[in-house]
Amino acid sequence: MTIVQVEPTREQTAVRLLLILDRLGDSCGANDGAPPTAVRVIRAQRKLAKLDFLVRNPDYLADHIITACEEGRLAKERLLDAQAVLVEREPELHTYRMLRNRHGAYEPMNNALSVLRHPGLIRVVRAGKSTDTQVRRRDYYLLAAGETFAERLRAEVPVLAWYDQQVLYVRMVTEGMSAEQLKALQYEHAEYAGTPVGQVIAGISERVRVRLTAALEREGLA
């Protein structure tokens, strides 16, 4: 039986978001208008949420790796990474489904972000202008202290290696993508797009397992 956790703890979410900012954030500095000591940034909560979705949902991540291999964006040998993500790394123990709102996968982040913000590991900055239809976006900056703390966690808490590696897999398949591109990628899945607002986004594990087996056999990697 597959065990799926629906709600991670605040501390789990905080650590995961810290690793996402450290590994997936864009480089930044004072010349970019960044806060003092900021080293990386993810612009817009929407992008942060969509990256978090892939870390939390190994089945969707594996499917995106397969697609990238089939489209030639990744070498065919990367199908073995999809196999690791979907089969070998005990994904059922690390899957945390997310609710869907009108913009896609979403989970309130304020409580987890406060765990990082209060000790000065990150800074959240409102950017852009408010209009009648849009609110100012939030940009998420990793500060130098946060970068140091992420390095310390990797060295001192070996159990976090799973999450750190998962974030690296996400970087491999999403590098250079905007929030809109990530949104389009995820909405290609009928299960994702068809989930009613306010409901948990359905998994796709069984379908991806079949697809992965076929891809590995086709490429002589089975």
Side-chain angles (χ1 to χ4, degrees), residues 92-164:
E92 68 277 3
L93 300 180
H94 302 281
T95 296
Y96 297 96
R97 301 299 185 196
M98 292 176 74
L99 298 176
R100 186 190 163 194
N101 74 359
R102 62 193 182 93
H103 296 298
Y106 175 76
E107 180 181 85
M109 298 180 177
N110 288 344
N111 287 341
L113 290 170
S114 68
V115 174
L116 305 174
R117 192 171 60 246
H118 289 163
L121 304 181
I122 70 166
R123 185 171 172 186
V124 182
V125 177
R126 294 194 176 203
K129 296 181 179 180
S130 298
T131 68
D132 291 338
T133 58
Q134 291 183 319
V135 297
R136 298 173 69 187
R137 77 168 191 268
R138 290 178 175 84
D139 292 342
Y140 300 85
Y141 289 92
L142 178 70
L143 305 182
E147 182 179 48
T148 299
F149 188 67
E151 293 174 356
R152 177 181 167 189
L153 286 176
R154 291 187 188 101
E156 298 182 3
V157 189
V159 70
L160 296 181
W162 190 97
Y163 293 98
D164 198 41

Side-chain angles (χ1 to χ4, degrees), residues 42-62:
I42 290 178
R43 302 189 189 279
Q45 187 179 58
R46 187 188 310 184
K47 183 172 184 179
L48 182 60
K50 295 192 180 310
L51 292 170
D52 188 33
F53 175 82
L54 290 177
V55 176
R56 296 165 54 143
N57 290 271
D59 48 353
Y60 282 86
L61 174 57

Side-chain angles (χ1 to χ4, degrees), residues 173-217:
V173 78
T174 65
E175 194 162 17
M177 287 188 177
S178 66
E180 286 302 315
Q181 289 171 316
L182 289 169
K183 176 182 177 180
L185 194 69
Q186 291 170 13
Y187 270 91
E188 289 177 358
H189 299 282
E191 296 87 347
Y192 186 107
T195 299
V197 172
Q199 298 298 312
V200 175
I201 296 171
I204 58 174
S205 296
E206 294 309 312
R207 176 165 64 80
V208 180
R209 286 176 190 273
V210 172
R211 188 183 181 201
L212 175 61
T213 297
L216 290 169
E217 291 176 351

